[in-house]
Structures are given as structure tokens and as C-alpha cells.
Amino acid sequence: MKVLIIGSGGREHALAWKLAQSNKVEKIYVAPGNGGTAGEEKTENLPLGGADPATAEGQAALVEFARKETIALTVVGPEAPLAAGIADRFRAAELAVAGPGEKAARLETSKAYAKSFMEKYGVRAAKSRNFTDFAQALAYTEQQTLPVVIKADGLASGKGVVIAASAAEAKQALSAFMKDGVLGAAGKSVVIEEYLAGLEVSVLAAVSVTSGGKPVIKPFISARDHKRRFEGGQGPNTGGMGAIAPVPDFTAALQKDFASAILAPTLKGMEAEKMDYRGFIFFGLMLQNRRCYLLEYNARLGDPETQAVLPLLDSDCAELCQAVADGNLADFPLKWKKGAVCAPVAAASGYPGTFRSGDPIAINKAGLEKTGAKLFVSGAQRGRGGSSGSGLHTSGGRVLTVSARGEHAEDARGKAYSALRFVNFDGMVFRTDIGTEVPAADKAEAAG
Ligand code: AMP
Ligand code: GLY
């Protein structure tokens, strides 16, 4: 079959790589893809000519392409196209797609909606309240113990969460979101939430909840992102500086707690709301006092978690995505390989602020291959920088991830950092501690 992947990051590169391993897949298009997907087996980038898959025109063009090319399955990576109804448009054209429709994606696109859903169905989460009135929000905030968490309701590319350590900071955040409109419509409504200290875990899962089929959420092996730019959980928040899978401290007891306190009521709520959810979901958890709390849902796979999790998937990825798209997941045998993955991200100097770009990337292929690690591209393109040998040059803040599988976490970490030595570009920076947790420092996590 022919598959279409929507997106351009490391997550989409990992999906293309994994889907290409399926005997069922003859051809993969990635729209628009990146310099990594361009070089992947069976894979071709589909330049969108400036058309954005998060717009009606871009989506119409993709539906047209999928029809013409007889694409059997489309997998949507990022949230923006989902929020803009790409899955609805594909389904309306009777095209199979793994990704929730606009309405179901509200679990990610509106934090106020997500919090109301959690409360209604008893999903364990931080205590919170939703506000659309600045004065009321401020009055409530002043009664809370500090730090207090202020979240913009809508999508804000990681800029919508402020952990305010003082009343002044809280007021400033509320003003910026609700009065100054720094995030546009996304910040006009806010969620004010109790601060939870602890370690975070990401559980990605496949979902099929439809009117016809047997409703099910099948969780993947656990993962942990490392959000802060610097070692020990210091510095500014980023899109993620590396991930591991599975998470050693997400014990069997915690997994059981997650299943009963978070997954089961989520599934119940989806059914009760008569959601049509055929896609992936991401549970962002905080572990505290041996209990799981849900911080957020994302209506998609995580990045860079996907680059750490997919190498451990022992089931056919195309069959999995097809079962998700068909809403027919209940009997799907989701299997995992033994071992662990460590996947540090190499970023461009300056990231997450203004970063340098256009630097040729040198890759010692033979050396890299010996480590067994796989390189996934996040922000690099082909074309210029030919002298480097790889033909790739940097084009994004997060440039690439090396994903190494080992017998256990320590083994994977050793391999991943050996592999990074075979990759080089001017201004390359990375965290040296992916997979070694420093709980005390992470407790002070503040998201920008
Ligand atoms: P969210 O977009 O809701 O996942 O928030 C982004 C990040 O902010 C999370 O990954 C956490 O690091 C942090 N965060 C969000 N909510 C809380 C909370 N209630 N307590 C502590 N940290 C939080
Ligand atoms: N790694 C977090 C995310 O994908 O949003």
C-alpha cells in the first residue's frame, strides 16, 4: 500500500522509517518532510509548494493528491493540521486516516475543555479552574498557594504555560494572556492549576473509539522527554532535548495506577461523549507520591518521544496505523522489543532562542552504523552544504536525534552518546544527561 505522512519533524522521520519496514508498504510520501525523510527507504517528500496542511486549501490539495495516488493510509503527525480538521476532511473523502477529527482533538487544542473532561469523568489531575474574566482569574490566583500554574486555553507552541513563583508573576502572566493578548485568542481563556512537583512521564497510546467498534486505548511503552535546555533540568523550556523509553521509575505499580486512575476514565469519557477518536493520544503525566496525575492530553504522538518509542515497537507499524484508522484496534497485538532506547537531540546553538542555521552537517556513516544507532532528522534539509558529505544542512532549532537501542538503559545511553560523536555541525549543542534523572532539579521545572 501507499502511505502519506503529514509533518516535517523527527517524529515524522521515525514514522517513515518504521512504516518502511513493513512488507505491506510499497511507497511513503511525507508532506512536506525534511532532509532525513528524503533519504529514507521507499520514501519521497511531497513539497507542498507553500500550502499549509493546517489550512483548508492545503488540506484540499492533500485530499486531491491522496485520491489521485490511491493512498491507502494517511498518518498525521502534528497538532496544527488536526486542530484544523484534516482528519475530518480525509474521512469525508472516504480516505483512511490515523488522527482524530477536529472535535476529538479538542482534548489537546483547548485546555479548558480537557480539564472539564477530566473533572467530569474523574480522571486524576491537578486541581484547577477555568476563567475567561481577568478580574475573577486574578482574585482566584491570589487565594492559591505558590507556585501556581497558569495555562492559556489554546495551542501556544509551548509558550502557554507559566509556573508563577510569586503573586506578581502570576498577575503578569494573566495580564499578558488575557489583556495584552500576547497569544492571541489562545490566551483569552485560562486554566489556573495547582502546582505538582515530581517527575514527568509520557505515555503515548493508540486509540479507537467509534460508534461501531469496540472502544479501546492501547498504551505504548512509557517514555520521558527532557524539556529543559540544560543538564539537570536547568534553563529555558524547549520542544524536548531528548527522550528515553521505557522509563525505569514508571514501575508496574504506577502503570497499574495509570490504567485505573487515568486511562480507564478517559476511555469511559470518550465513549460517553460519543467521540469519534481514531488516532494517537499522548498522556503527559506527573508522578507524585507514587500516584499518577494527568497534566495534559495531546491528540498525537510526542516529539521526541516517538523517536525513542518506535524503535522498540515489535508489531507491524502499518498494520497498527491501519487498525487505528479503521477503528478496529481491539484485537491488534501490540508487541514490544526487550531493551531500552536513549535518544538525545542535537540542537543548533542559540536554541530555543534565535539559533544559527544553514550549517553543513558532517556524518561519519560507517562510525554511526557501528554503534547501531539510527539518526532521525528534525530540522535539516538536503541540497546545500555538499562538502560535508551528508548533503544535509541545518534548518531548525532541533536539528536531529540519534536513537540507540541497548539491552538496558545504561547500554542504550552509552551507544547513543557514542553515536553523537559521529555527527558534527558548527554550533551543535546537546544535553549530556538524557536518561539520568535529577529529580530535585526537575522539581523546580518551570515551563515558559
Ligand atoms: P502542558 O502543556 O500542560 O503539558 O505543560 C507544559 C509543561 O509545564 C509540562 O510538561 C510540565 O513540565 C509543566 N506543568 C504543567 N502543568 C503543571 C502542574 N500542574 N504542575 C507542575 N508542572 C506543570
Ligand atoms: N514531547 C512533548 C510533545 O510532543 O509535545
Side-chain angles (χ1 to χ4, degrees):
M1 66 167 133
K2 292 188 202 169
V3 182
L4 172 64
I5 299 171
I6 311 291
S8 63
R11 165 184 50 210
E12 288 75 27
H13 187 179
L15 275 166
W17 167 79
K18 194 70 188 179
L19 283 163
Q21 289 168 19
S22 167
N23 294 330
K24 301 225 151 73
V25 173
E26 55 182 277
K27 178 87 194 171
I28 300 168
Y29 293 96
V30 193
N34 63 35
T37 54
E40 206 52 65
E41 215 187 308
K42 303 181 187 174
T43 305
E44 194 178 310
N45 284 347
L46 185 66
L48 294 169
D52 180 352
T55 63
E57 307 79 68
Q59 292 174 6
L62 286 164
V63 164
E64 178 63 26
F65 173 84
R67 271 198 176 136
K68 223 173 75 203
E69 283 296 321
T70 58
I71 300 291
L73 173 68
T74 296
V75 184
V76 185
E79 63 275 22
L82 292 168
I86 194 169
D88 305 293
R89 229 172 275 261
F90 271 69
R91 289 196 180 104
E94 294 186 3
L95 291 162
V97 55
E102 182 185 358
K103 227 174 129 200
R106 278 173 72 210
L107 285 176
E108 170 166 6
T109 59
S110 167
K111 287 192 193 290
Y113 171 74
K115 292 299 298 198
S116 308
F117 177 93
M118 291 175 211
E119 195 172 345
K120 184 167 175 192
Y121 295 103
V123 179
R124 194 194 293 137
K127 279 191 207 69
S128 76
R129 271 184 63 184
N130 303 340
F131 292 92
T132 51
D133 180 82
F134 172 76
Q136 283 175 14
L138 186 62
Y140 177 80
T141 305
E142 281 165 353
Q143 293 157 17
Q144 305 308 304
T145 41
L146 294 166
V148 63
V149 184
I150 295 165
K151 300 183 171 186
D153 179 37
L155 289 181
S157 312
K159 293 186 170 60
V161 178
V162 171
I163 296 172
S166 67
E169 254 181 76
K171 186 175 178 184
Q172 196 185 3
L174 288 172
S175 279
F177 288 175
M178 303 183 86
K179 288 171 98 178
D180 307 341
V182 294
L183 300 173
K188 292 294 174 192
S189 148
V190 297
V191 172
I192 297 173
E193 186 169 288
E194 162 198 27
Y195 174 79
L196 297 174
L199 285 173
E200 288 181 60
V201 171
S202 307
V203 180
L204 318 182
V207 184
S208 87
V209 177
T210 56
S211 55
K214 185 174 165 199
V216 65
I217 300 178
K218 292 207 171 183
F220 293 0
I221 203 161
S222 62
R224 172 170 286 147
D225 187 6
H226 297 63
K227 287 238 161 227
R228 296 299 205 97
R229 167 61 190 86
F230 297 112
E231 282 77 3
Q234 306 292 320
N237 211 39
T238 72
M241 292 300 296
I244 55 158
V247 178
D249 50 272
F250 192 52
T251 58
L254 281 165
Q255 289 170 44
K256 221 171 129 193
D257 180 63
F258 163 72
S260 61
I262 292 168
L263 191 148
T266 298
L267 182 58
K268 230 183 189 158
M270 286 176 166
E271 285 183 73
E273 297 291 321
K274 298 197 170 24
M275 261 184 212
D276 178 356
Y277 201 121
R278 285 172 274 171
F280 299 99
I281 197 163
F282 169 125
F283 297 90
L285 308 179
M286 187 68 89
L287 309 182
Q288 192 184 60
N289 298 329
R290 298 201 197 96
R291 279 150 75 96
C292 303
Y293 293 82
L294 184 65
L295 293 183
E296 64 164 345
Y297 297 110
N298 290 330
R300 52 176 173 85
L301 296 172
D303 187 330
E305 286 92 333
T306 301
Q307 295 92 304
V309 164
L310 282 187
L312 290 166
L313 178 64
D314 205 19
S315 311
D316 185 298
C317 189
E319 285 177 12
L320 169 64
C321 293
Q322 183 126 51
V324 166
D326 294 346
N328 186 22
L329 193 63
D331 298 320
F332 186 84
L334 198 52
K335 291 189 297 241
W336 299 97
K337 295 179 182 170
K338 286 203 167 51
V341 167
C342 179
V345 167
S349 171
Y351 176 77
T354 309
F355 52 83
R356 48 186 291 163
S357 187
D359 291 303
I361 303 173
I363 299 171
N364 177 337
K365 273 200 173 151
L368 187 65
E369 254 162 43
K370 258 188 226 146
T371 68
K374 172 69 191 170
L375 187 151
F376 296 122
V377 166
S378 299
Q381 299 296 339
R382 263 165 204 267
R384 292 181 276 139
S387 61
S388 70
S390 76
L392 291 168
H393 63 271
T394 64
S395 63
R398 289 189 297 169
V399 175
L400 56 90
T401 304
V402 291
S403 188
R405 187 153 67 94
E407 280 174 42
H408 47 76
E410 211 33 53
D411 184 30
R413 217 162 69 76
K415 284 179 172 157
Y417 282 102
S418 301
L420 265 188
R421 292 209 304 267
F422 295 109
V423 180
N424 189 41
F425 52 88
D426 282 348
M428 170 169 147
V429 293
F430 56 87
R431 265 179 72 161
T432 57
D433 66 344
I434 301 306
T436 58
E437 274 316 309
V438 188
D442 273 6
K443 268 187 201 169
E445 271 301 77

